[in-house]
Amino acid sequence: MKILKEKHSFIVNLFLFLIANTIIFRGLCTLIIICFFVYCFFSVRDMTFPKKAIYYILIIATPLLLEIAFFWNNDDFRLGIKSLEKSISLLLFPIFIIGNYKCIKFYKLLKAYSITTTILIFIFLVRYYFVFNQYFMSFYYGMNMWQMGYHFSNTIGIHAPALNMHLAFVSICNLYFLLLNFREGKSFLIQLLYLFIFLFSFFFLLIINTRIALIVSILGYLIIVISYFLKSQNVFQITKKIFVVFTLILSIFIVFIKNNSFMKEKYNRMIFDKFEMVGKLDQIERPEVEIYSSLVTRLTIWKETIDLAKNHLIFGVGSSDSKKELFKYYEKTNQKFLTKYQLPVHNQYLDFLLKFGVLGLIGVLLYIGYIAYVGVKLKNVIVISFFILFSICNFTDDFLIRFDGIVFSGFWISLFTSLYLQTTTIKPILKFTHLF
């Protein structure tokens, strides 16, 4: 019996490891997820659910429950079913992961995930150098830097903001384990190895170079470092090591900016310029050049979305019809630039408000806010950093309509819940659960 339990534990953790590292590869990840669900279905007798598990499962499944509750509001049921299918994993992940919470080795899984993903992206970067050498060299010499991250991400088969959201979490995890090695007094070679792994993951963030991911990564670094200081006793030794790490980060950042003149424009003009033109984009000369990826464009889209949502606060416009109705509204309000390029909401909170009305907004706040609840209960900096990462990223994008965002969030939220259940229902068997 003990051997069977150990075998089951190994298989579950192996599946979780494979899912975590393949989320950026949609086809392969889907296949592994299906295999994991089938395995769990046939080994359901090995699963256990604490009393409160049903509440956690329902909260994680909130986006799916909204799709089901408002399915009648879709004009095109075929598109409604397609939208609903994307969210099914938000019910199955919490059932099968929480059901196996006792055998999940969270920190070993997290460490293996962060290291393996860093190595995978390094391999893809080496591949990029040989297969797309012309693009690589043009970026190296500072040409066409605006398309660098998007072109590299496309060669992997994932949208750049989604890839950088994953890499931001990986980078935060790598810093966590680097500081943990400092704290536990690991050998110099191990500390040096983890230092290189962290620096590589930070460098990859700059390669993809999406603004929000870089900002939330820095916020995550600060949370990890502050909590590390609060927990440590030898402040002088810690300060020296932290100073070295951040000096290296700053050096990489400065060298990168020096070779990337577009980055100055991206983090300055494209964020703060032309705020007075919100709602008046057509009055801007050459808007495609001046403000296509600027914050003023996002603010105008959000203004239009809110104005449309005001007329549908009770039931929304329907999951399958939200984009179509928004594009019609652009045309109705004579927003020619937005109509021409049919720019979507790019804000998950407003996206759910438009789709499902007030209940949609409450639902997405409950779903994302639950991450903060678990993080605070655990006093766990990784979970809190994930909350900051996912909540802020969804202000400028809508990751709960994408496979990588749905699986990424549902998977990790279920694992965080499992860790919480381990600490509250069984004796903690982990050497460390937080840095606070």
Side-chain angles (χ1 to χ4, degrees):
M1 183 65 70
K2 184 178 180 181
I3 294 174
L4 289 175
K5 284 185 178 180
E6 289 178 354
K7 183 178 178 181
H8 173 71
S9 176
F10 172 78
I11 293 172
V12 168
N13 282 280
L14 177 61
F15 268 122
L16 295 177
F17 168 76
L18 293 174
I19 292 169
N21 285 285
T22 58
I23 293 176
I24 58 178
F25 313 112
R26 179 172 181 169
L28 178 59
C29 187
T30 301
L31 179 61
I32 296 171
I33 288 172
I34 292 172
C35 292
F36 173 62
F37 290 161
V38 170
Y39 171 78
C40 288
F41 179 78
F42 284 104
S43 59
V44 68
R45 285 180 297 180
D46 295 315
M47 294 165 58
T48 55
F49 295 92
K51 290 182 180 179
K52 291 185 178 180
I54 184 63
Y55 301 114
Y56 305 144
I57 291 170
L58 291 176
I59 291 173
I60 299 171
T62 298
L64 173 64
L65 298 179
L66 286 169
E67 292 280 359
I68 295 171
F70 289 91
F71 186 79
W72 60 270
N73 200 25
N74 291 305
D75 288 341
D76 189 329
F77 283 176
R78 182 180 59 83
L79 291 177
I81 291 173
K82 185 178 179 181
S83 181
L84 189 148
E85 284 176 345
K86 292 181 183 178
S87 303
I88 288 177
S89 62
L90 294 180
L91 177 62
L92 298 180
F93 267 139
I95 289 175
F96 293 133
I97 292 178
I98 292 174
N100 287 294
Y101 79 97
K102 288 185 177 180
C103 66
I104 292 173
K105 298 176 173 60
F106 177 80
Y107 284 101
K108 287 184 178 180
L109 177 64
L110 188 70
K111 183 186 290 187
Y113 155 75
S114 59
I115 293 173
T116 304
T117 302
T118 304
I119 293 171
L120 280 173
I121 298 302
F122 177 78
I123 292 170
F124 273 98
L125 187 61
V126 173
R127 167 183 172 268
Y128 189 80
Y129 172 79
F130 289 105
V131 178
F132 303 94
N133 185 261
Q134 185 177 355
Y135 285 95
F136 183 93
M137 296 311 296
S138 69
F139 299 146
Y140 179 79
Y141 288 110
M143 297 181 288
N144 301 319
M145 297 299 286
W146 59 273
Q147 65 173 333
M148 176 181 62
Y150 283 86
H151 188 267
F152 176 71
S153 300
N154 288 338
T155 64
I156 299 176
I158 187 172
H159 190 46
L163 177 58
N164 230 21
M165 178 178 66
H166 293 278
L167 292 180
F169 184 53
V170 167
S171 183
I172 290 168
C173 292
N174 284 334
L175 179 62
Y176 173 88
F177 288 112
L178 172 63
L179 297 186
L180 191 67
N181 283 324
F182 288 165
R183 177 180 160 191
E184 293 183 346
K186 298 291 185 180
S187 69
F188 175 75
L189 287 177
I190 291 178
Q191 292 184 18
L192 189 63
L193 175 63
Y194 274 89
L195 176 61
F196 277 117
I197 290 171
F198 166 66
L199 292 176
F200 270 122
S201 62
F202 175 72
F203 177 69
F204 298 149
L205 279 174
L206 295 177
I207 291 288
I208 312 301
N209 200 12
T210 52
R211 287 163 288 192
I212 292 299
L214 188 57
I215 291 169
V216 295
S217 295
I218 293 171
L219 290 175
Y221 297 164
L222 291 175
I223 291 171
I224 298 290
V225 169
I226 290 170
S227 63
Y228 182 67
F229 268 110
L230 293 175
K231 190 69 178 178
S232 301
Q233 296 177 346
N234 194 334
V235 177
F236 179 70
Q237 287 292 332
I238 294 166
T239 304
K240 286 198 303 182
K241 291 179 179 180
I242 295 294
F243 177 78
V244 171
V245 172
F246 276 87
T247 299
L248 290 171
I249 291 177
L250 187 61
S251 300
I252 293 172
F253 194 71
I254 291 171
V255 171
F256 193 87
I257 291 178
K258 188 177 179 181
N259 200 47
N260 186 355
S261 57
F262 175 70
M263 196 166 178
K264 299 173 187 176
E265 180 181 356
K266 186 173 184 177
Y267 287 81
N268 186 8
R269 183 185 66 80
M270 294 179 70
I271 294 179
F272 302 108
D273 204 18
K274 293 184 169 57
F275 274 6
E276 73 281 1
M277 303 304 290
V278 172
K280 299 178 285 186
L281 301 182
D282 296 316
Q283 297 178 24
I284 300 173
E285 188 177 350
R286 301 187 306 156
E288 291 86 351
V289 176
E290 294 294 324
I291 48 88
Y292 187 86
S293 299
S294 295
L295 182 57
V296 65
T297 302
R298 294 285 173 92
L299 292 173
T300 302
I301 294 171
W302 299 344
K303 178 181 178 298
E304 294 290 304
T305 304
I306 292 171
D307 290 343
L308 175 58
K310 285 178 182 177
N311 302 322
H312 304 273
L313 286 177
I314 305 300
F315 301 116
V317 300
S319 181
S320 68
D321 309 309
S322 59
K323 283 187 179 181
K324 179 178 65 177
E325 292 299 322
L326 181 60
F327 299 157
K328 284 183 182 177
Y329 194 73
Y330 290 160
E331 192 171 356
K332 181 181 177 181
T333 55
N334 202 30
Q335 291 286 344
K336 296 178 182 177
F337 174 71
L338 298 182
T339 301
K340 178 180 178 181
Y341 291 99
Q342 296 193 333
L343 299 174
V345 179
H346 280 302
N347 182 306
Q348 192 59 69
Y349 307 97
L350 295 182
D351 177 73
F352 267 44
L353 175 65
L354 183 61
K355 285 179 177 178
F356 309 116
V358 172
L359 282 179
L361 179 59
I362 294 172
V364 72
L365 289 173
L366 176 66
Y367 179 78
I368 296 177
Y370 173 70
I371 309 170
Y373 169 80
V374 175
V376 171
K377 281 288 187 179
L378 283 170
K379 297 181 180 178
N380 186 297
V381 289
I382 291 292
V383 183
I384 292 171
S385 297
F386 186 94
F387 163 72
I388 292 172
L389 165 70
F390 197 67
S391 61
I392 293 178
C393 282
N394 277 292
F395 269 108
T396 57
D397 223 314
D398 31 23
F399 286 108
L400 290 178
I401 66 172
R402 299 176 53 86
F403 170 87
D404 36 50
I406 292 170
V407 173
F408 176 70
S409 60
F411 176 81
W412 284 109
I413 295 171
S414 299
L415 283 174
F416 297 152
T417 304
S418 296
L419 178 64
Y420 175 59
L421 290 173
Q422 284 181 357
T423 61
T424 56
T425 61
I426 59 178
K427 280 187 176 182
I429 57 174
L430 302 169
K431 291 182 180 178
F432 50 92
T433 56
H434 51 73
L435 284 176
F436 278 142

